[in-house]
Amino acid sequence: MQQYIIGNWKMNGTKVEAKKLAASFLKRIQEATRPLPHVILCPSYPYLSTVVEVLKGTVIQVGAQDVHPEKAGSFTGDVSVTQLVDVGCMYVLVGHSERRRHHFETSHLIRRKIEASIQGGLRPVLCIGETAEERKSGKALHIIANQLLSDLPETFNTHQIMIAYEPLWAIGTGEVPTGEQIEEVMGLIKHELASRMGGGALVPTLYGGSVTAQNAAAILELAHIDGLLVGGASLKLEDFWQIINASTR
Ligand code: PGA
């Protein structure tokens, strides 16, 4: 399976910067002489159309950072799957820990967002991960298994979803789990998916949390890693380009 490198720009940048960054990544990718992974950029809502415009018809896809589960209606400030698809999005991050923490998103809501996305033709990237306390008290694997159980819909196809393992203590902190810790969690995720459905292990499983140009290659070589979800480093041209280039397939 070709790997996936996703850039989560979070609430950063201006329209001019978003346009310039997307165009710069595109130029690098078009000039590349080796096979590259799937690249997906997730700008904030106001810049989705701008970035789609720059990348239209190219190999780089665009994703949103969140979505509302209802099709339409009186939900001030929210954005639907239909609207995201309408502006050219193909992916959406769901259940990012910053949404769970700052917007009190529950597993129930996250599951509804996943279901709505799949139904509307948007591929959700379900983000899961444990806190530092949960890791310290030896509960990390238990938490991950529970999140998979409560956040995932009953049925879906392998190509309709992706899972990103992002330990909360690694996001934006510069701290990264050991290779062994990452492999242990990714192995569990693959196992859980495989036991739920035929071909479940084919659901792409990504790692996220303080990925840098320096550590990307080592993480991408680990077992069960099908890609990376990159925050801070995806805002820097050279760093993100090095991360894309570190892909092994
Ligand atoms: P980070 O963020 O790479 O800046 O740690 C990752 C994420 O939140 O998706």
Side-chain angles (χ1 to χ4, degrees), residues 3-248:
Q3 289 177 323
Y4 290 83
I5 307 291
I6 306 181
N8 175 12
W9 290 356
K10 308 194 180 184
M11 195 175 70
N12 290 298
T14 61
K15 185 172 167 178
V16 169
E17 285 165 352
K19 202 171 180 172
K20 195 170 154 205
L21 201 53
S24 308
F25 288 141
L26 180 60
K27 188 162 182 285
R28 293 287 177 102
I29 284 178
Q30 284 172 336
E31 286 168 2
T33 49
R34 64 172 286 249
L36 291 174
H38 295 286
V39 178
I40 300 158
L41 299 180
C42 301
S44 0
Y45 285 146
Y47 308 138
L48 284 171
S49 292
T50 309
V51 172
V52 165
E53 198 56 42
V54 174
L55 303 175
K56 208 184 258 166
T58 74
V59 291
I60 309 184
Q61 311 289 357
V62 179
Q65 297 172 16
D66 187 36
V67 68
H68 192 276
E70 292 297 330
K71 283 198 170 79
S74 304
F75 301 100
T76 304
D78 283 312
V79 175
S80 72
V81 172
T82 318
Q83 291 172 325
L84 292 178
V85 170
D86 188 35
V87 297
C89 282
M90 293 183 71
Y91 295 84
V92 61
L93 305 180
V94 175
H96 190 283
S97 63
E98 285 153 15
R99 300 285 322 163
R100 295 183 196 245
R101 185 152 30 111
H102 302 307
H103 297 268
F104 313 104
E105 291 197 4
T106 61
S107 286
H108 176 69
L109 176 63
I110 290 165
R111 185 197 272 230
R112 286 181 58 219
K113 289 183 179 195
I114 301 247
E115 284 167 350
S117 301
I118 291 174
Q119 228 171 36
L122 207 53
R123 189 175 189 179
V125 181
L126 170 65
C127 304
I128 53 175
E130 82 284 0
T131 63
E133 291 70 41
E134 288 162 347
R135 167 63 62 183
K136 275 191 208 109
S137 57
K139 290 192 198 131
L141 294 183
H142 178 70
I143 294 291
I144 301 293
N146 268 344
Q147 284 176 336
L148 286 175
L149 197 65
S150 51
D151 298 354
L152 284 175
E154 289 290 312
T155 54
F156 53 87
N157 294 328
T158 51
H159 62 274
Q160 287 179 319
I161 199 165
M162 289 200 261
I163 312 282
Y165 166 54
E166 298 204 300
L168 272 65
W169 49 277
I171 295 178
T173 59
E175 251 185 278
V176 178
T178 62
E180 227 168 74
Q181 287 172 324
I182 296 177
E183 281 186 339
E184 190 181 31
V185 173
M186 303 312 264
L188 170 85
I189 297 173
K190 288 283 191 200
H191 175 79
E192 293 289 321
L193 290 165
S195 61
R196 275 180 77 123
M197 58 199 267
L202 292 173
V203 172
T205 48
L206 283 56
Y207 169 79
S210 293
V211 172
T212 62
Q214 288 71 42
N215 64 24
I219 301 174
L220 283 165
E221 273 173 11
L222 296 173
H224 313 302
I225 289 280
D226 300 317
L228 300 169
L229 177 50
V230 187
S234 71
L235 290 160
K236 298 177 202 141
L237 175 63
E238 290 307 328
D239 291 42
F240 196 54
W241 176 237
Q242 277 185 49
I243 293 170
I244 292 169
N245 256 305
S247 68
T248 49

